[in-house]
């Protein structure tokens, strides 16, 4: 009898262990990281300066994860200033608490740490992180966040032999503190000093240049490219090699071939490059777009067992696109060639079914015009006449604690720009009320002579149209309502407009910003407040237990939590 009981006990243990295994497997995997953010000496353009490093690196550590993974990053701030990191393009579903902008979180104070915890829910693609506080972006602190498809979901191309992250952008030899002092004094930071590729800069024919990337003949490689600069659009081309575009900001694209690609500030894309040329060194060339005086940099792609150092030649370099008015038309046409791959099996944007966006009725149109002006003798940038300024207490916190009226007023910015004869600029927190789950159209109209780039946190949107001139409702006839790329940033060319569409179904407070950081710092941004009427955990997470409190809410009693 005792033996029978033992058999029953063993059987029960096996069942319990099996159920436990199922429960463990039911939760998506966790990836843990520990980062030390410090100053260190760097020289992206050959001039030593103080930079921001993560674990002693620039670029910082790569987060290499899979769709739906839980990401846990313990960040130790060893700078002498408050710090926040944002995860550019990660939608943070129901979780604007982790978005890492001054409007959503108290900063990580010097000598302290904070643990970010978020899920890359229903996403794939190439993204990056960077600091949003002060002008820290000008000194580094950026790195890759690559989200792969789950193994059960096929990708629309063969697995590459390897993947490379390529960070491109303009750079200033002055550090972020000097640049901030310039902007605080009411002046522009001016033209950048050069272009870097992964924190390095080389010129054609530089004999000391080391290869950044290695390829074997006959194999295909994925290059994930992001423009992490401050203000300058760039063009990328690879000597002797075509680039097959396969992904853009989290969406698989129709796989067109390109000799060169424009990448605007804050934007990311993936290309496949096949090593099908004579085995030797080749140049990757990155040059500025739409600057009066062009600046550029090169990196070396080396074939394994090739002829090696010195085998690169400036002969037969791909021709850069025009850099004048014709160049704008060229770049616009390239934008129109980007199409979403509707047949690919991959994460779809939320809500499910929204890829039929052309059949959804628009419930609200917001037209936004950017401007540059002087306020009390100092430079400011604005959207519809409102120049945003951060409050002492994050907007999300005062809204959660139900004391928003002590910090800001909703809707100081209208859905339409002020009349052309109204040049008054108001400096204030810029928060727009938005109706949960409304399908909105946002028009960006740029009356200035410089290109703009915008990014929306918390969402992907459909980039449905770009054209020169002014927008009017008749322009909707030219929208791409079938396969516009679902993405999170959009460029707006000089004296032109751009249109996007999205469903505001992600509860929280979300930053719509200029990704050109001088403009961002001096007010060209706003926040959408998207409240769920039910205050339910089905729509939004509660304030995390480890979230630091600051400002007017620091000593306030906790509000009632959201309910299931």
């Amino acid at each position: 009898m005792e033996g029978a009981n033992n058999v029953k006990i063993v059987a029960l243990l096996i069942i319990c262990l099996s159920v436990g295994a199922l429960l463990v497997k039911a939760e998506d995997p966790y990836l843990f990281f520990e980062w030390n953010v410090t100053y260190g000496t760097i020289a992206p353009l050959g001039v030593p300066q103080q930079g921001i490093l993560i674990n002693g690196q620039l670029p910082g550590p790569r987060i290499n994860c899979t769709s739906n993974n839980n990401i846990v990053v313990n960040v130790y701030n060893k700078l002498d200033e408050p710090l926040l990191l944002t995860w550019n393009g990660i939608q943070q579903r129901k979780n604007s608490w982790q978005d890492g902008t001054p409007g959503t979180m108290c900063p990580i104070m010097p000598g302290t740490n904070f643990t970010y915890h978020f899920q890359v829910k229903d996403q794939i693609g190439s993204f990056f992180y960077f600091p949003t506080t002060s002008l820290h972006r000008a000194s580094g602190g950026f790195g890759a966040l690559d989200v792969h498809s789950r193994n059960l979901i096929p990708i629309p191309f063969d697995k590459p032999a390897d993947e490379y992250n390529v960070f491109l952008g303009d750079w200033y030899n002055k550090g972020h503190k000097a640049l901030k002092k310039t902007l605080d004094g009411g002046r522009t930071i001016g033209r950048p000093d050069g272009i870097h590729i992964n924190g390095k800069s080389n010129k054609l024919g530089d004999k000391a240049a080391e290869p950044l990337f290695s390829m074997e003949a006959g194999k295909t490689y994925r290059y994930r490219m992001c423009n992490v600069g401050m203000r300058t659009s760039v063009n990328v081309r690879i000597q002797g090699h075509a680039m097959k575009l396969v992904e853009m900001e989290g969406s698989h694209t129709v796989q067109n071939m390109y000799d060169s690609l424009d990448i605007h500030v804050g934007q990311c894309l993936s290309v496949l490059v096949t090593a099908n040329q004579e085995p030797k060194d080749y140049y990757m060339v990155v040059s500025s777009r739409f600057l009066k005086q062009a600046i550029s940099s090169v990196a070396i792609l080396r074939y394994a067992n090739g002829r090696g150092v010195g085998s690169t030649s400036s002969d037969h370099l791909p021709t850069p696109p025009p850099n004048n008015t014709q160049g704008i038309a060229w770049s616009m046409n390239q934008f129109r060639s980007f199409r979403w791959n509707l047949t690919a099996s991959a994460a779809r944007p939320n809500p499910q079914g929204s890829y039929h966006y052309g059949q959804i009725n628009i419930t609200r149109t917001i037209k936004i015009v950017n401007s540059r002006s002087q306020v009390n003798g100092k430079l400011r940038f604005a959207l519809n006449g409102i120049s945003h300024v951060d409050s002492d207490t994050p907007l999300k916190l005062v809204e959660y604690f139900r004391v928003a009226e002590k910090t800001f007023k909703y809707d100081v910015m209208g859905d339409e720009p002020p009349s052309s004869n109204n040049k008054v600029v108001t400096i204030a927190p810029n928060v727009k009320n938005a109706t949960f789950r409304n399908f909105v159209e946002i028009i960006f109209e740029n009356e200035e002579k410089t290109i703009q780039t915008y990014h929306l946190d918390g969402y992907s949107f459909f980039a449905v149209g770009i054209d020169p001139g002014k927008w009017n409702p008749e322009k909707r006839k030219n929208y791409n309502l079938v396969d516009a790329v679902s993405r999170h940033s959009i460029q707006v060319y000089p004296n032109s407009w751009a249109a996007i569409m999205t469903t505001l179904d992600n509860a929280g407070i979300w930053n719509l910003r200029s990704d050109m950081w001088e403009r961002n710092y001096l007010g060209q941004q706003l926040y959408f407040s998207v409240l769920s009427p039910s205050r339910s955990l089905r729509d939004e997470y509660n304030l995390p237990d480890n979230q630091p409190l600051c400002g007017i809410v620091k000593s306030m009693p906790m509000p009632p939590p959201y309910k299931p």
Side-chain angles (χ1 to χ4, degrees):
M1 192 69 180
E2 184 178 346
N5 286 334
N6 287 339
V7 171
K8 289 180 181 178
I9 291 170
V10 171
L12 285 171
L13 283 172
I14 292 172
I15 292 170
C16 289
L17 288 171
S18 299
V19 171
L22 288 172
L23 289 174
V24 170
K25 289 181 180 178
E27 188 171 11
D28 292 298
Y30 279 72
L31 300 180
F32 295 90
F33 303 87
E34 186 169 293
W35 290 357
N36 291 292
V37 183
T38 63
Y39 293 124
T41 301
I42 58 174
L45 304 183
V47 178
Q49 63 186 107
Q50 185 186 70
I52 295 176
L53 310 179
I54 300 180
N55 292 353
Q57 303 171 225
L58 182 71
R62 177 191 184 198
I63 296 178
N64 194 36
C65 59
T66 300
S67 178
N68 291 354
N69 281 176
N70 290 282
I71 311 300
V72 181
V73 188
N74 191 5
V75 177
Y76 289 84
N77 178 12
K78 298 185 178 179
L79 307 181
D80 57 0
E81 298 177 306
L83 172 73
L84 281 174
L85 294 174
T86 194
W87 319 94
N88 202 59
I90 300 302
Q91 292 176 20
Q92 307 288 2
R93 301 296 301 177
K94 307 195 298 183
N95 198 18
S96 62
W97 304 111
Q98 306 294 308
D99 197 37
T101 62
T104 59
M105 299 177 65
C106 299
I108 310 169
M109 300 306 290
T112 68
N113 69 299
F114 174 76
T115 301
Y116 289 90
H117 178 193
F118 58 90
Q119 187 178 25
V120 287
K121 181 69 173 171
D122 296 332
Q123 288 189 262
I124 57 96
S126 306
F127 309 99
F128 68 97
Y129 57 84
F130 70 92
T132 57
T133 35
S134 186
L135 282 188
H136 290 146
R137 179 165 170 163
S139 290
F142 56 79
L145 205 170
D146 300 337
V147 188
H148 299 265
S149 294
R150 288 176 290 177
N151 288 334
L152 294 176
I153 301 177
I155 58 176
F157 49 86
D158 292 336
K159 184 178 179 180
D162 206 345
E163 295 190 352
Y164 296 116
N165 290 102
V166 188
F167 295 103
L168 320 162
D170 55 17
W171 192 266
Y172 292 79
N173 285 327
K174 291 181 178 179
H176 69 272
K177 292 182 179 180
L179 294 175
K180 180 179 182 295
K181 185 177 180 180
T182 297
L183 293 179
D184 290 342
R187 294 168 289 131
T188 177
I189 58 176
R191 180 179 179 272
D193 295 303
I195 297 284
H196 75 92
I197 305 172
N198 282 6
K200 303 179 186 299
S201 179
N202 294 295
K203 301 300 179 185
L204 293 172
D206 187 349
K207 302 297 183 182
E210 293 291 331
L212 274 184
F213 313 107
S214 176
M215 303 192 296
E216 292 185 28
K219 294 184 178 181
T220 297
Y221 297 80
R222 181 175 185 170
Y223 289 80
R224 298 177 183 259
M225 302 179 177
C226 295
N227 185 337
V228 296
M230 291 285 284
R231 64 184 296 176
T232 308
S233 299
V234 298
N235 180 268
V236 184
R237 47 206 185 273
I238 298 176
Q239 183 182 27
H241 296 75
M243 297 177 287
K244 180 186 288 187
L245 181 67
V246 294
E247 178 259 332
M248 179 177 288
E249 298 182 6
S251 293
H252 292 306
T253 60
V254 172
Q255 296 177 13
N256 295 325
M257 303 296 293
Y258 296 90
D259 290 327
S260 70
L261 281 162
D262 280 356
I263 309 178
H264 305 281
V265 182
Q267 297 182 357
C268 295
L269 53 80
S270 290
V271 297
L272 297 181
V273 178
T274 299
N276 55 8
Q277 301 297 309
E278 178 188 352
K280 61 176 185 176
D281 289 352
Y282 293 88
Y283 282 123
M284 173 186 287
V285 185
V286 181
S287 56
S288 62
R289 298 288 278 135
F290 317 123
L291 293 182
K292 290 182 179 179
Q293 292 181 312
I295 50 179
S296 64
S297 181
V298 300
I300 293 176
L301 281 66
R302 170 161 296 173
Y303 274 60
N305 302 317
R307 292 190 315 198
V309 177
S311 65
T312 49
S313 169
S314 58
D315 296 334
H316 309 297
L317 281 178
T319 304
N323 210 30
N324 49 19
T325 305
Q326 290 180 334
I328 292 173
W330 183 96
S331 192
M332 279 189 179
N333 285 332
Q334 184 171 89
F335 165 85
R336 296 185 187 108
S337 74
F338 301 148
R339 292 288 187 269
W340 196 17
N341 187 343
L342 298 179
T343 64
S345 298
R348 292 292 187 189
N350 284 293
Q352 294 300 312
S354 65
Y355 50 90
H356 297 302
Y357 64 95
Q359 301 170 27
I360 304 174
N361 291 329
I362 297 168
T363 53
R364 183 180 184 183
T365 296
I366 303 172
K367 183 179 177 184
I368 297 175
V369 175
N370 52 277
S371 63
R372 172 185 179 135
S373 60
Q374 296 280 323
V375 178
N376 297 324
K378 292 188 175 183
L379 177 65
R380 295 296 299 187
F381 297 95
L383 299 174
N384 287 3
I386 307 299
S387 185
H388 174 80
V389 61
D390 291 321
S391 56
D392 292 335
T393 310
L395 307 168
K396 177 62 182 170
L397 282 176
V398 294
E399 189 174 72
Y400 185 75
F401 279 79
R402 302 185 179 184
V403 289
E405 71 281 355
K406 294 184 178 181
T407 299
F408 66 90
K409 293 181 180 179
Y410 291 101
D411 297 321
V412 293
M413 188 193 96
D415 284 6
E416 291 281 338
S419 60
S420 57
N421 58 0
N422 182 2
K423 301 296 184 181
V424 177
V425 171
T426 300
I427 299 177
N430 193 356
V431 184
K432 298 273 300 170
N433 260 321
T435 303
F436 189 47
R437 297 197 175 109
N438 263 17
F439 187 68
V440 300
E441 171 190 49
I442 302 176
I443 312 300
F444 300 99
E445 196 167 271
N446 178 18
E447 298 176 353
E448 298 185 58
K449 296 179 180 179
T450 55
I451 193 170
Q452 311 290 317
T453 310
Y454 292 95
H455 166 87
L456 177 59
D457 279 352
Y459 301 93
S460 59
F461 54 68
F462 299 99
V464 295
I466 279 181
D467 258 330
K470 294 185 178 296
W471 181 89
N472 61 61
E474 287 294 309
K475 302 294 185 180
R476 292 184 181 127
K477 295 178 180 178
N478 297 324
Y479 284 0
N480 177 356
L481 296 179
V482 177
D483 58 356
V485 177
S486 174
R487 53 192 302 182
H488 55 76
S489 71
I490 187 73
Q491 70 269 21
V492 193
Y493 295 94
N495 300 305
S496 301
W497 59 267
I500 66 172
M501 293 177 171
T502 192
T503 301
L504 298 177
D505 70 312
N506 193 11
I509 277 189
W510 304 104
N511 192 213
L512 172 65
R513 61 176 175 263
S514 170
D515 248 337
M516 307 172 84
W517 220 244
E518 174 184 59
R519 288 176 169 269
N520 179 294
Y521 182 78
L522 293 181
Q524 196 169 312
Q525 57 173 306
L526 60 85
Y527 284 85
F528 280 114
S529 171
V530 186
L531 290 176
S532 166
S534 62
R535 293 180 66 88
S536 168
L537 288 174
R538 290 171 298 178
D539 300 326
E540 186 175 13
Y541 298 136
N542 279 310
L543 175 74
D545 292 337
N546 71 326
Q547 202 86 353
L549 300 180
C550 55
I552 64 173
V553 304
K554 189 171 184 178
S555 58
M556 292 181 65
M558 292 297 294
Y562 296 153
K563 297 179 180 179

